[in-house]
Amino acid sequence: MPATAPLLLGDEPGSFPYSVLAERHPAIIRQVREAFPYGPERRRALDALLVSCTEGAIEPLPADAHDRDRWGAWGLDTYAGRSWFDVPWLWSESYFYRCLLEAVGHFAPGPWQGIDPFRPDKLAELDSARTDEELAALDGLSDLTADEQDGALLHGSLWGNRADLGFRLSAGTSDTPAAVPALVADDSDTLWSLLPPSGAGTLYLIADNAGRELVPDLLLVSRLLAGSRVERAVLHVKPHPYYVSDATPADVLDALRRLTAAPGAAATHGRRLWQALTDGRLTVRAHPFSCGPLPYAEMPDDLRAEFASATVTIVKGDLNYRRLVGDRLWAPTTPFADLTGHFPGPVAALRTLKSDVICGLDTRTVSTLDAAEGPRWRTGGTHALIQVRA
């Protein structure tokens, strides 16, 4: 393991973590408050959370909260009473969403129990004309070779809500300057070596966002199952709403219905995935640790055993990357393998860069990015990576 790097905190005004805590979280509370006709009790709770997360201290969960003991073990007993800005950023962000669900009554008996406060935005994105265009682009892939189709759908999953880029075979196609690489690291050859044609392995995919990002993740799974690169796939999603757009089991069903209702190749993928769920070749899992505030190095034994059985685990998205390598300010050239040695089995990261955490880059790439864009390349979502530890 490399020397320890500083944990990311939100206590530095002007930093990206500070802006999330001071600006993004209050905006999310206001958005949720206006998205549903919550009654006075819920609105008061949301208003209290707004004051707490901007001016107050971290408060414990109610005594009757179903997961109070779990959060206590995850650090709440230590961090309660401290400023939201003075504890690890990953922890602070995660606990914010737990408190938001408490405020809207997501876990309590009553009319709002189980209601996803982010569902309107998820469905609007899934039902958008842009999604229609991206699904229609699937029809053009039939003229490509099998390897080209695999590559196109891998890049579709990589770029997520910029999935239209993924249907172009050139990973360098982007809105970035020509001298700046869009794909800052590319271990895709290693990934394919772990998933050879006519393979009989099991793919685990830890999903990130719902909507237009989950759709290309599902398309990649469908392609790998159809091309016999894997015999079985396991899709890990969040057990409850989290980080606004993170995928839950309900979001998987919404995405599948969207695919099966579409024309052309999209419907074929949708039917294949539906059948794979019914015959057990595709499984959806929602482990409580998926909504935890801790890095994957601290995953529980049952989850560790699951990932140890995988041919490869694909970790999608920025938040999962932070949990995979540790939410610290690593030197960008710190080897990816050094930071993922804790993971039980081969692991691949597919990530669009949206936070400061980064590792596994070569010195020349870092220098080029810094010279062209300053620190913005780390957080702007205009660059991506495929990193693999076999």
Side-chain angles (χ1 to χ4, degrees):
M1 281 291 292
T4 299
L7 269 173
L8 278 167
L9 304 178
D11 60 346
E12 183 181 344
S15 69
F16 185 67
Y18 183 92
S19 70
V20 169
L21 298 178
E23 301 168 15
R24 184 181 298 177
H25 286 180
I28 290 169
I29 293 173
R30 297 186 186 101
Q31 175 183 330
V32 168
R33 195 178 190 275
E34 299 306 316
F36 291 92
Y38 293 117
E41 178 185 2
R42 296 298 165 207
R43 295 174 78 84
R44 283 193 297 270
L46 287 167
D47 292 342
L49 178 59
L50 179 61
V51 173
S52 170
C53 72
T54 54
E55 304 172 16
I58 295 167
E59 299 179 7
L61 292 172
D64 60 350
H66 74 283
D67 53 354
R68 181 185 173 95
D69 290 344
R70 182 185 300 146
W71 273 96
W74 283 346
L76 182 56
D77 292 345
T78 300
Y79 297 138
R82 296 174 60 178
S83 167
W84 292 83
F85 295 84
D86 293 337
V87 304
W89 181 42
L90 176 63
W91 197 96
S92 186
E93 275 195 291
S94 298
Y95 190 60
F96 166 78
Y97 287 100
R98 176 59 185 86
C99 291
L100 182 62
L101 293 183
E102 189 68 31
V104 299
H106 182 82
F107 298 113
W112 299 108
Q113 186 175 28
I115 299 297
D116 184 346
F118 312 122
R119 185 170 173 79
D121 287 335
K122 289 177 177 179
L123 290 180
E125 181 185 277
L126 194 60
D127 293 337
S128 68
R130 186 70 176 274
T131 303
D132 287 333
E133 295 170 4
E134 290 168 357
L135 294 181
L138 289 168
D139 294 337
L141 298 185
S142 60
D143 297 330
L144 305 179
T145 67
D147 287 347
E148 288 172 336
Q149 291 186 50
D150 291 345
L153 291 176
L154 176 66
H155 285 113
S157 177
L158 168 65
W159 286 103
N161 57 14
R162 297 181 66 193
D164 54 317
L165 294 178
F167 296 126
R168 306 172 190 172
L169 292 182
S170 172
T173 302
S174 74
D175 300 326
T176 58
V180 179
L183 203 57
V184 300
D186 184 4
D187 295 338
S188 53
D189 287 346
T190 304
L191 177 58
W192 293 128
S193 74
L194 296 170
L195 299 170
S198 302
T202 298
L203 168 74
Y204 276 69
L205 193 152
I206 302 175
D208 187 29
N209 292 327
R212 285 176 52 231
E213 182 168 340
L214 182 59
V215 166
D217 290 346
L218 291 172
L219 293 173
L220 176 61
V221 171
S222 171
R223 173 66 197 167
L224 295 178
L225 288 170
S228 301
R229 285 187 180 268
V230 297
E231 188 173 39
R232 182 170 173 265
V234 180
L235 180 69
H236 271 261
V237 295
K238 306 299 190 296
H240 53 72
Y242 189 60
Y243 275 74
V244 180
S245 56
D246 280 27
T248 67
D251 297 320
V252 175
L253 294 177
D254 286 337
L256 282 177
R257 292 190 182 102
R258 183 71 164 92
L259 285 171
T260 55
T268 301
H269 283 287
R271 289 191 295 268
R272 181 184 299 128
L273 291 164
W274 196 280
Q275 182 60 44
L277 281 167
T278 62
D279 64 27
R281 288 181 299 123
L282 173 60
T283 305
V284 177
R285 292 273 283 120
H287 195 285
F289 188 76
S290 295
C291 290
L294 304 176
Y296 277 106
E298 300 181 41
M299 74 178 80
D301 290 343
D302 63 328
L303 195 56
R304 183 172 295 277
E306 270 201 65
F307 294 142
S309 70
T311 303
V312 62
T313 298
I314 293 178
V315 177
K316 269 300 307 292
D318 197 79
L319 172 61
N320 286 326
Y321 187 88
R322 291 165 56 195
R323 297 186 73 191
L324 176 64
V325 304
D327 204 33
R328 295 177 177 271
L329 284 173
W330 303 109
T333 54
T334 305
F336 178 73
D338 288 1
L339 299 183
T340 55
H342 63 84
F343 201 86
V347 62
L350 303 186
R351 176 210 183 193
T352 303
L353 277 57
K354 297 179 182 177
S355 69
D356 292 306
V357 178
I358 188 69
C359 67
L361 305 190
D362 61 64
T363 302
R364 181 177 179 181
T365 297
V366 175
S367 298
T368 301
L369 291 164
D370 284 342
E373 302 179 31
R376 294 190 306 275
W377 64 269
R378 295 172 177 247
T379 59
T382 57
H383 300 280
L385 59 78
I386 303 172
Q387 291 176 324
V388 180
R389 193 216 74 217

